[in-house]
Amino acid sequence: FSVSSNSSRQTNAAAQEALAKVYFIELEKYLTLLLSQEAAEGVPQQRVAARQKLSKLNNLQFHELATDVYDELMRRNIDERKSFLPVREDFHPRRNQARQKLATLPNARFKDLASDVYHEIRRRYPFVVED
């Protein structure tokens, strides 16, 4: 355990928190109708179970998922000409494959996933909501 690795971990955590705020804001805009529907009618049991699974991911796994969902949201909203997220050489092949699979999700399923990620960001980074 070195001081420099502890410092880089803190910097990485701070970067993840800053990104979580960006993701939260964009997801909130995208999910406005769904969030108001959940507030009025409650969360379906299927979503509760899915959200419990997300809570079991470690911070790095969750951050990668949140990043991928955010990137897919941006692709769907801004650049639909691309049929899926481009391969990134700095990502493991499995992650690139999973990122491309996001494009195959129907809009309703993608909204469910985005909603789950949104709520997990609220749980992990409560101060993001307060700002």
Side-chain angles (χ1 to χ4, degrees):
F1 186 75
S2 72
V3 173
S4 63
S5 67
N6 188 33
S7 174
S8 68
R9 255 187 251 128
Q10 289 173 340
T11 302
N12 196 25
Q16 287 178 0
E17 290 170 7
L19 286 171
K21 183 172 184 124
V22 171
Y23 301 163
F24 180 82
I25 291 166
E26 290 301 321
L27 288 169
E28 191 169 50
K29 285 186 225 173
Y30 175 67
L31 298 167
T32 302
L33 291 175
L34 181 69
L35 294 173
S36 61
Q37 182 181 5
E38 284 183 355
E41 301 170 13
V43 180
Q45 192 57 40
Q46 184 180 11
R47 301 281 30 99
V48 171
R51 291 172 189 175
Q52 286 174 341
K53 289 180 185 177
L54 282 186
S55 71
K56 294 178 182 173
L57 296 177
N58 68 38
N59 285 340
L60 177 60
Q61 290 169 323
F62 176 71
H63 177 72
E64 288 179 353
L65 175 63
T67 298
D68 296 345
V69 168
Y70 171 81
D71 289 349
E72 175 63 15
L73 174 62
M74 294 297 102
R75 185 201 65 81
R76 287 178 184 228
N77 288 340
I78 296 169
D79 197 1
E80 280 193 45
R81 292 170 295 142
K82 294 179 183 170
S83 54
F84 52 83
L85 291 171
V87 170
R88 291 202 28 194
E89 296 300 320
D90 56 329
F91 288 171
H92 189 279
R94 276 198 205 129
R95 182 171 178 194
N96 277 316
Q97 201 171 24
R99 285 168 57 88
Q100 291 178 352
K101 191 173 182 180
L102 287 173
T104 68
L105 291 177
N107 283 334
R109 294 269 319 273
F110 181 74
K111 263 193 178 173
D112 286 342
L113 176 60
S115 171
D116 297 342
V117 168
Y118 170 87
H119 286 285
E120 185 61 14
I121 289 172
R122 286 186 72 150
R123 190 188 73 76
R124 288 184 190 229
Y125 306 104
F127 54 87
V128 166
V129 181
E130 295 168 4
D131 291 346

